[in-house]
């Protein structure tokens, strides 16, 4: 029965591949034209379609309603970008022509596609390792992965897409110093935003999971196991931020082979680490193996890029990292102290659980911002300036 239903869902979802692929091309075109607003909001149409399918179509169609919503959302994601393309002077013509530019794109994409195959193989291996753990481990690690990806998606993915055109332009015009300036700017902002995210998860992992998930069949033991996975994943957040930005830097330099090859090395690092750590550390060990994989991937890419472009000396990266780490240390101490103070309250009410997350988080963020301001963090000034421009 599950097999038949899965086949039906796949058949419904197939058209979404066309719409998502078209949307990706539209998104890349708008990014190359430095038009970010429509593309930033277009991606949410896909998820809104799934939500609408669950709310309005689940009763008449069952789970197929969510699949229908996904197809509608994918179509909307592509269509909402068309007016922006037309305003930018882009005229859409359907024709098959292997121009030199398209052949160049295909050559660059081949290593990316191979890297995706390796990534999928790594996910299969990862799932096999997880399946050998206790019941519920896969769900716990999936939840922890989602929580880890949340700040990465907000702080890193969007920033990487935004600075990619500038990196590409600097490369095409052989402006190496501009390339270094743009890259360093991105690295500094990524670390400034991701280090506190990692600290919040390490300090407040248990209260966050208890607030969001502990109800119904998800009990205290599930919270403990999920928090263990989150503690293993959280340290990689700043490194993944650096990694994603560096991948875009290599792409801007028309080098798609190096990230793919390091990805293969990363899978090997994960397998070796998992074989060593899983037997004794279980869920935490597999999460930690994934952190080693992704963190070393970023550090190796950084070393290879510096060998190619030279050092980033003179771009204030080391001082920025030092100030961010000091502010982050103050933030961590604050979060732990406030959390320790609130642990005396054992009530399971939603209000108490919310306060056990919100109060330490707000205090910790306030201390982080204050410490960054006291240290004269340029990243804080940059973000405030960006916020003012976006608001007014």
């Amino acid at each position: 029965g599950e097999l038949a239903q899965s086949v039906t869902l796949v058949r419904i979802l197939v058209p979404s591949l066309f719409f998502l692929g078209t949307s990706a091309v539209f998104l890349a075109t708008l990014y190359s034209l430095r038009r970010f607003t429509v593309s930033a909001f277009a991606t949410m149409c896909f998820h809104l379609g799934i939500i609408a399918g669950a709310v309005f179509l689940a009763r008449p169609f069952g789970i197929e309603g969510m699949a229908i919503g996904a197809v509608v959302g994918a179509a909307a994601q592509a269509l909402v970008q068309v007016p922006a393309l037309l305003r930018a002077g882009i005229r859409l013509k359907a024709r098959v022509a292997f121009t030199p530019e398209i052949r160049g794109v295909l050559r660059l994409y081949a290593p990316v596609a191979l890297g995706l195959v390796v990534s999928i193989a790594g996910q299969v291996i990862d799932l096999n390792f997880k399946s050998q753990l206790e019941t519920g481990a896969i769900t716990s690690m999936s939840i922890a992965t989602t929580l880890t990806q949340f700040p990465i998606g907000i702080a890193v993915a969007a920033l990487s897409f935004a600075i990619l055109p500038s990196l590409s332009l600097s490369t095409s015009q052989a402006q190496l110093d501009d390339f270094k300036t743009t890259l360093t700017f991105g690295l500094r902002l990524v670390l400034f935003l991701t280090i506190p995210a990692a600290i919040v998860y390490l300090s407040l992992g248990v209260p966050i999971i208890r607030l969001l998930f502990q109800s119904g069949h998800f009990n205290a033991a599930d919270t403990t196991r999920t928090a263990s996975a989150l503690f293993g994943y959280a340290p990689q957040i700043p490194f993944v931020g650096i990694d994603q930005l560096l991948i875009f830097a290599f792409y801007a330099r028309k080098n798609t082979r190096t990230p793919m090859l390091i990805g293969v090395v990363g899978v090997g690092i994960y397998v070796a680490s998992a074989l060593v750590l899983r037997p004794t550390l279980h869920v935490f060990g597999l999460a930690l193996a994934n952190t080693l994989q992704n963190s070393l991937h970023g550090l190796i890419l950084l070393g290879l890029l510096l060998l190619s472009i030279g050092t980033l000396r003179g771009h204030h990266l080391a001082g920025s990292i030092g100030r961010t780490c000091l502010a982050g240390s103050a933030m961590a101490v604050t979060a732990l102290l406030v959390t320790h103070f609130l642990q005396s309250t054992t009530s399971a009410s939603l209000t108490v659980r919310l306060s056990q997350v919100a109060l330490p988080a707000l205090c910790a963020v306030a201390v982080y911002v204050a410490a960054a301001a006291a240290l004269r963090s340029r990243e804080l000034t940059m973000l405030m300036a960006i916020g003012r421009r976006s608001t007014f």
Side-chain angles (χ1 to χ4, degrees):
E2 292 178 355
L3 175 61
Q5 189 175 59
S6 299
V7 171
T8 300
L9 291 174
V10 170
R11 287 172 174 166
I12 296 173
L13 287 168
V14 163
S16 67
L17 296 175
F18 169 78
F19 295 120
L20 291 174
T22 304
S23 171
V25 175
F26 290 169
L27 182 143
T29 304
L30 289 171
Y31 275 142
S32 69
L33 297 171
R34 297 174 180 270
R35 309 237 174 159
F36 303 109
T37 304
V38 174
S39 298
F41 288 99
T43 54
M44 75 179 183
C45 292
F46 178 64
H47 303 285
L48 288 175
I50 296 175
I51 294 171
V55 174
F56 299 110
L57 301 179
R59 187 178 296 274
F61 296 104
I63 194 172
E64 285 84 356
M66 295 183 68
I68 295 170
V71 175
V72 173
Q77 179 173 315
L79 292 174
V80 296
Q81 299 183 76
V82 173
L85 289 168
L86 295 177
R87 288 194 298 270
I90 301 295
R91 295 296 177 263
L92 305 176
K93 295 181 180 179
R95 65 190 181 95
V96 178
F98 287 96
T99 64
E101 291 80 9
I102 291 178
R103 288 197 294 270
V105 169
L106 292 175
R107 282 195 298 270
L108 290 172
Y109 179 68
V112 177
L114 181 58
L116 291 174
V117 173
V118 173
S119 177
I120 292 172
Q123 292 173 22
V124 172
I125 295 171
D126 177 50
L127 188 60
N128 182 266
F129 279 133
K130 291 174 181 176
S131 67
Q132 299 175 31
L133 297 173
E134 66 269 25
T135 302
I138 293 178
T139 300
S140 292
M141 299 190 77
S142 176
I143 291 173
T145 299
T146 300
L147 290 173
T148 304
Q149 290 175 342
F150 178 71
I152 294 172
I154 291 178
V156 181
L159 180 62
S160 298
F161 277 115
I163 71 170
L164 177 59
S166 297
L167 290 174
S168 300
L169 183 64
S170 299
T171 301
S172 63
Q173 295 180 351
Q175 297 173 336
L176 185 57
D177 193 59
D178 288 345
F179 180 89
K180 290 183 178 181
T181 299
T182 304
L183 176 62
T184 307
F185 167 79
L187 291 173
R188 289 164 58 182
L189 279 185
V190 161
L191 290 174
F192 186 80
L193 292 170
T194 55
I195 286 176
I199 290 172
V200 166
Y201 281 148
L202 290 171
S203 305
L204 304 174
V206 172
I208 288 173
I209 295 168
R210 186 186 299 127
L211 171 66
L212 295 177
F213 302 104
Q214 188 171 314
S215 62
H217 294 290
F218 196 102
N219 55 35
D222 297 319
T223 295
T224 301
R225 183 174 55 246
T226 305
S228 177
L230 184 60
F231 294 152
Y233 285 134
Q236 72 180 274
I237 294 176
F239 294 98
V240 172
I242 293 173
D243 184 54
Q244 290 195 6
L245 201 60
L246 291 172
I247 289 174
F248 276 74
F250 275 96
Y251 287 174
R253 294 173 62 81
K254 293 182 170 53
N255 182 350
T256 56
R257 184 180 301 173
T258 298
M260 180 272 293
L261 293 175
I262 304 305
V264 175
V265 174
V267 172
I269 292 172
Y270 172 74
V271 172
S273 302
L275 289 173
V276 173
L277 298 173
R278 180 183 59 83
T280 54
L281 299 179
H282 308 292
V283 167
F284 178 73
L286 279 186
L288 195 59
N290 182 261
T291 291
L292 289 173
Q293 173 191 4
N294 293 328
S295 300
L296 290 175
H297 189 280
L299 293 176
I300 293 171
L301 281 183
L302 179 60
L304 293 176
L305 183 64
L306 293 180
L307 288 175
S308 176
I309 67 174
T311 68
L312 298 176
R313 191 175 302 162
H315 294 273
H316 311 290
L317 181 60
S320 170
I321 295 174
R323 288 188 295 269
T324 298
C325 289
L326 285 174
S329 299
M331 178 185 186
V333 171
T334 302
L336 291 173
L337 288 176
V338 177
T339 300
H340 179 73
F341 176 77
L342 294 175
Q343 279 181 347
S344 58
T345 304
T346 58
S347 173
S349 69
L350 178 62
T351 303
V352 171
R353 287 191 291 172
L354 180 60
S355 66
Q356 290 175 337
V357 173
L359 288 178
L362 289 174
C363 292
V365 170
V367 168
Y368 182 72
V369 172
L375 294 168
R376 298 181 179 180
S377 170
R378 296 183 182 180
E379 293 71 39
L380 179 62
T381 304
M382 294 177 191
L383 289 173
M384 292 175 63
I386 292 172
R388 283 194 295 269
R389 286 198 297 269
S390 301
T391 303
F392 300 104

